[in-house]
Amino acid sequence: MSTEGTERARTSGELNIVHVAMIAGAAAMGGFLFGYDSAVINGAVAAIQEHFAVGAAETGLTVSAALLGSAAGAAVAGGMAERFGRIRVMQVAAVLFAVSAIGSALPFAIWDLALWRIVGGVAIGIASVIAPTYIAEVAPPAYRGRLASLQQLAIVLGIAMSQLVNYALAASAGGSALGAIGPFQAWQWMLGVAVLPAVVYFLLSLIIPESPRYLVRVGRVDRARAVLADVEGGDVDGRIEEIRRALGSEVRPRLGDLRVGRFGLLPIVWIGMALSAFQQLVGINVIFYYSSSLWQSVGVAESNSLLLSLFTSIVNIVGTFIAIGLVDRIGRKPLLLTGSAGMALALGVTAYAFGHADVVGEQAELPFVWATVALVSASAFVLFFALSWGVVTWVLLGEMFPLRVRAAAMAVATATQWIANWLVTVTFPSLRDWNLSGAYLLYTAFAVLSFVFVWRFIKETKGRTLESMT
């Protein structure tokens, strides 16, 4: 091939990857809403409790209701994706996000707010399944890890954006989420603003192509051929035949297809469920339960605690970018092992530092030196999580299952993740009251076990086609 031809082919390949990245980024908008909707409630909790004059228990149940909705959404997403297609399910999630945002902003009672939170949770659960599934199915093997990482990047960006929006709205309302902005209080605007990214998500879903693997399954081979030519190029007819062989049959997969024997599941499904559970059991969603009091214990004013929580998001984003740069270079398994080792060390140090704390209710008071140690170790934990389990779990879940059962297996694994998330969230207050340091030692133990699990059971998937997964 001439130099001019080689350069033209290289340029075409680069443009093709940019195009696929834009498609993956549009799909990952569901991850942005996932992160935004999950985190935006944090800025409104105190105001909601005061507005409805309810206790901490009612407020906690209202906030955590979204997690159970997420488990339900994840459980049904796989079947919906196989029946109606990946794009249609994205649109369902977008509509649910929008409806939940409006309903949550205009509740007439605390139980009404809880119901709308469950609706939003269902949308989160659906988005957490469909985005990594879709991205894995449209991404070329050499770039699949980096493109699938866009899901986690979108999640952490959504979390950061929710914190910025909460801070800006509270500031506009005189520094309080109970302050009025026009006809509504600031906390209502916080929850209602989510309708904007939901509309963007829906509009983006109208312009990206359907998964070629779904198209082959339902017999729309010509359309599948066009999509594959657009996103992968090369021997398109050969890829069509490879997909057909991997599908095995035209029977739509069901949850029953995951069973082996009378009560068991396929080994790969158990591995996916364990992978999902470990991502949550290391305590990522409670590690910053005391972040505000920790900042205050090292001299930071309480009024700045909301803005300083952005520091955690920045660490999270930095770690995510590191993972995006490494996941297709060094592979999934090395990143997970590195993350498990780093998390175990950081959590162990955090547990030791908290051993010097005086805990009163939801406040932890530490001497300055130990508070500084706890802040540094907690930040290190988030960094190690973000550059490994935060990203790689979603990458692996989107690609590790055999194609014939991928959507159903993904639904079960993701539902497991939400159940584990809920379990950690509801047990932490009791563990805290028992022994704060002991609680973090428990998460340390799970980090150590996650290292053993990855070493023993996770197989490397870097560079392999989805059809080669068996």
Side-chain angles (χ1 to χ4, degrees):
M1 181 181 291
S2 66
T3 303
E4 181 180 349
T6 301
E7 182 63 26
R8 185 163 52 249
R10 184 172 66 85
T11 302
S12 176
E14 290 173 352
L15 291 174
N16 188 56
I17 293 304
V18 171
H19 178 57
V20 177
M22 293 176 66
I23 293 173
M29 189 68 190
F32 180 90
L33 277 158
F34 171 172
Y36 188 96
D37 197 76
S38 298
V40 72
I41 190 71
N42 293 333
V45 168
I48 289 170
Q49 186 170 342
E50 185 171 344
H51 178 80
F52 290 109
V54 294
E58 294 95 329
T59 306
L61 287 173
T62 300
V63 173
S64 63
L67 296 178
L68 297 179
S70 297
V76 302
M80 292 172 61
E82 291 300 335
R83 184 172 184 179
F84 304 111
R86 282 54 165 157
I87 299 300
R88 189 67 66 196
V89 173
M90 289 184 197
Q91 292 166 355
V92 170
V95 171
L96 290 177
F97 273 122
V99 170
S100 172
I102 295 171
S104 297
L106 303 171
F108 55 82
I110 191 69
W111 63 263
D112 181 46
L113 175 59
L115 289 177
W116 291 117
R117 290 292 298 162
I118 292 174
V119 172
V122 172
I124 291 172
I126 292 174
S128 67
V129 170
I130 201 62
T133 299
Y134 174 84
I135 293 171
E137 291 181 350
V138 300
Y143 297 92
R144 191 173 59 240
R146 274 169 279 184
L147 294 176
S149 300
L150 293 177
Q151 163 79 348
Q152 180 65 15
L153 177 61
I155 291 172
V156 299
L157 289 176
I159 292 171
M161 181 58 68
S162 72
Q163 292 170 338
L164 281 172
V165 168
N166 285 352
Y167 180 78
L169 288 172
S172 299
S176 171
L178 284 168
I181 303 176
F184 305 112
Q185 293 180 324
W187 68 267
Q188 293 176 278
W189 287 107
M190 291 175 183
L191 301 181
V193 165
V195 73
L196 299 179
V199 171
V200 173
Y201 184 34
F202 185 88
L203 294 176
L204 288 174
S205 73
L206 298 176
I207 61 175
I208 59 177
E210 181 55 87
S211 159
R213 289 158 179 87
Y214 171 77
L215 293 171
V216 171
R217 179 183 292 281
V218 298
R220 297 172 60 189
V221 178
D222 289 341
R223 179 56 183 157
R225 186 178 288 109
V227 175
L228 283 170
D230 193 32
V231 300
E232 289 190 21
D235 182 10
V236 174
D237 288 332
R239 294 287 291 115
I240 293 289
E241 289 305 313
E242 188 179 9
I243 292 171
R244 278 176 168 159
R245 289 194 300 270
L247 287 172
S249 71
E250 294 303 315
V251 177
R252 185 175 292 123
R254 302 163 300 170
L255 292 179
D257 296 327
L258 306 181
R259 291 203 302 265
V260 173
R262 190 172 181 182
F263 300 107
L265 295 173
L266 293 170
I268 191 65
V269 178
W270 283 116
I271 292 173
M273 292 170 65
L275 182 73
S276 290
F278 274 120
Q279 191 200 43
Q280 298 301 319
L281 293 175
V282 295
I284 186 62
N285 286 312
V286 297
I287 187 67
F288 291 104
Y289 197 90
Y290 288 102
S291 59
S292 177
S293 58
L294 282 175
W295 283 114
Q296 294 172 44
S297 68
V298 294
V300 176
E302 182 178 0
S303 60
N304 292 327
S305 61
L306 181 60
L307 186 59
L308 282 171
S309 66
L310 286 172
F311 174 77
T312 303
S313 294
I314 293 172
V315 173
N316 212 349
I317 292 169
V318 169
T320 301
F321 274 113
I322 293 173
I324 291 173
L326 295 178
V327 67
D328 281 324
R329 294 183 182 180
I330 69 173
R332 286 66 160 149
K333 188 168 184 175
L335 275 181
L336 287 177
L337 291 172
T338 300
S340 292
M343 289 190 302
L345 179 61
L347 284 167
V349 173
T350 304
Y352 187 71
F354 273 131
H356 297 79
D358 291 324
V359 182
V360 180
E362 298 182 359
Q363 295 294 315
E365 297 181 1
L366 289 88
F368 179 85
V369 172
W370 289 113
T372 303
V373 170
L375 282 172
V376 172
S377 60
S379 299
F381 167 71
V382 171
L383 180 64
F384 278 108
F385 177 87
L387 64 82
S388 59
W389 285 80
V391 166
V392 179
T393 298
W394 293 112
V395 174
L396 280 173
L397 289 180
E399 66 186 10
M400 67 188 290
F401 301 115
L403 185 57
R404 62 185 175 85
V405 297
R406 174 164 294 121
M410 178 72 172
V412 171
T414 309
T416 300
Q417 184 175 128
W418 286 111
I419 292 170
N421 186 342
W422 176 81
L423 182 64
V424 170
T425 301
V426 300
T427 57
F428 180 74
S430 297
L431 290 172
R432 172 201 66 202
D433 294 342
W434 164 66
N435 188 302
L436 180 59
S437 181
Y440 283 95
L441 281 176
L442 179 62
Y443 304 139
T444 303
F446 279 119
V448 173
L449 288 174
S450 73
F451 183 95
V452 177
F453 165 75
V454 172
W455 184 271
R456 176 67 179 83
F457 295 106
I458 295 297
K459 295 181 180 180
E460 184 56 65
T461 56
K462 181 183 71 168
R464 295 174 60 187
T465 64
L466 293 183
E467 290 69 38
S468 69
M469 306 295 178
T470 57

